[in-house]
């Protein structure tokens, strides 16, 4: 961004809540069914049908609020947002206007959630972006525009939808990226949503304006639609901020409007103008009673899980893993659980277990397109494999072969696999004579070691490892050399 300009960004995120049934009827919310099969008079908006509140959706929204430090007003209510569009045949959406379920709160921008290429020079480390509100509403039907017709699927209509509105406190495309990643991570952590952008479970509208540094008043805001990934939001913002500055530099002005991001062309395109404030003629929905939420807040408070940053801190303290490893492990709740049970059932230092989880397990999961909770190898067996190395039964490389075999036949015992692969616990007598041989063959190195150059112990260990064709346990060899020479 050119130096004399500031960008101001606010994000509105719509997130589908993971419930079995819809917001105001008992139709299922499952994804990918035949079009217009999960429907009833209520979610089709037929005259005379009446809405009934989904308790789970209210609970999950309040839980999201607790995770993000929001407050919940004692009473919240339901309002009709009136507009005319085929995706909402009753011509209003049931939403919340002046008394939403959650007010205030903030999204912390976790450093590991910034784009990788930006993590070395984060402008505002530790920043939190304040939230304006979170309200609950119903999703609309999905229209698809074909060459000669438009078709509409009501399976999605009435799915519980949370709208999370940030304050305009985001200053760069990279902060917007970190905001969305962190929000997504926290919602998944809380089990509130799968928050998959590709499935439309998380959708994002971006408001952005630019102004000169010395100006106090915000510039005219442009809304960007059609964001289908978090990295697209970053790309779109970079383009749009530069475009807005160009217009101002050429003496032009902006009109409040909605633009769309064309990810293939890499440009924003004008979509439609927007009057200053849409007149949705909100009014209270006469079919629904307000919600008194005190008891729900108390109940949900006991269900608040440990958040990713809290878990990472604890891993660093309790297991003495590095800050980086702690964040990788805590980034996914199932991965964190996997690591924790492996570390607890292993005798090896947790640092080693962490290495195995991050390097070996994650690689195998990625290769097979699996998630931590669907790993064929349970945490106890990974721990047993690490323990084989720790006990000196196999070398680290041999353990990797054991894990390879374990991945194919996870019901087997790692120690049994090691035996079958011929990884006998090293014959200590034989190794001992290899050590003596190495010492006898290298009198000059031995002299150097004994006069204080202890680094050469590793070199000598290497000679023994080579002679044993990798069968010896390097740590035991080193210990034994030290015992003999020092
Ligand atoms: Zn329905
Ligand atoms: Mn909305």
């Amino acid at each position: 961004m050119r130096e004399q300009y500031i960008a101001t960004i606010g994000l509105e995120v719509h997130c589908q809540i993971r419930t079995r049934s819809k917001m105001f009827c008992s139709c299922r919310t499952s994804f990918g069914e035949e079009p217009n099969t999960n429907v009833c008079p209520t979610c089709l908006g037929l005259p005379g049908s009446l809405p009934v509140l989904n308790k789970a959706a209210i609970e999950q929204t309040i839980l999201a609020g607790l995770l993000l430090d929001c407050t919940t007003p004692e009473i919240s209510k339901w309002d009709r947002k009136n507009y005319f569009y085929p995706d909402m045949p009753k011509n209003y959406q049931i939403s919340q206007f002046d008394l939403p379920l959650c007010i205030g709160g903030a999204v912390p921008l976790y450093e590991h959630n910034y784009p990788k290429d930006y993590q070395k020079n984060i402008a505002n480390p530790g920043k939190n972006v304040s939230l304006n509100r979170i309200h609950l509403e119903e999703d609309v039907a999905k229209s698809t525009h074909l060459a000669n017709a438009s078709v509409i699927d009501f399976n999605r209509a009435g799915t519980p939808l949370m709208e999370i509105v940030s304050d305009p406190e985001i200053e760069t495309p990279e902060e917007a990226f970190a905001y969305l990643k962190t929000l997504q991570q926290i919602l998944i952590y809380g089990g509130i949503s799968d928050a998959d952008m590709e499935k439309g479970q998380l959708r994002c509208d971006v408001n952005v304006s630019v102004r000169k540094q010395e100006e106090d008043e915000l510039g005219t805001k442009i809304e960007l639609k059609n964001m289908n990934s978090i990295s697209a939001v970053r790309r779109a913002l970079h383009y749009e901020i530069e475009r807005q500055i160009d217009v101002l530099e050429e003496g032009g002005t902006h009109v409040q409007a909605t633009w769309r991001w064309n990810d293939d062309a890499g440009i924003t395109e004008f979509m439609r103008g927007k009057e200053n404030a849409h007149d949705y003629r909100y009014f209270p929905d006469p079919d629904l009673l307000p919600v008194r939420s005190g008891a729900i807040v108390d109940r949900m408070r006991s269900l608040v899980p440990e958040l990713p940053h809290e878990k990472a801190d604890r891993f660093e303290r309790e297991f003495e893993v590095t800050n980086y490893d702690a964040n990788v492990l805590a980034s996914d709740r199932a991965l964190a659980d996997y690591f924790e049970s492996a570390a607890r059932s292993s005798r090896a230092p947790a640092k080693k277990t962490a290495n195995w989880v991050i390097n070996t397990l994650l690689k195998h999961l990625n290769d097979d397109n699996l998630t931590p909770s669907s790993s064929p190898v349970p945490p106890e067996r990974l721990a047993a494999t690490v323990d084989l190395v720790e006990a000196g039964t196999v070398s680290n490389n041999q353990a990797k072969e054991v894990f390879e075999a374990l991945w194919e036949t996870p019901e087997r015992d790692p120690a049994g696999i090691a035996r079958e692969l011929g990884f006998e616990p090293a014959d200590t007598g034989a190794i001992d004579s290899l050590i003596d041989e190495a010492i006898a063959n290298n009198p000059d190195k031995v002299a150097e070691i004994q006069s204080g150059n202890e680094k050469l112990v590793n070199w000598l260990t290497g000679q023994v490892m080579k002679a044993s064709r990798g069968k010896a346990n390097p740590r035991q060899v080193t210990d034994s050399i030290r015992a003999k020479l020092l």
Side-chain angles (χ1 to χ4, degrees), residues 203-214:
R203 306 194 287 270
C204 172
D205 295 335
V206 178
N207 287 296
V208 53
S209 67
V210 300
R211 68 177 195 276
K212 286 227 160 113
Q213 293 260 6
E214 63 270 19

Side-chain angles (χ1 to χ4, degrees), residues 22 25-27 38-40 42-43:
K22 293 188 180 179
C25 62
S26 55
C27 292
N38 286 337
V39 291
C40 74
T42 299
C43 56

Side-chain angles (χ1 to χ4, degrees), residues 97-110:
F97 184 52
D98 52 337
L99 285 172
L101 279 167
C102 308
I103 291 176
V107 174
L109 304 186
Y110 292 158

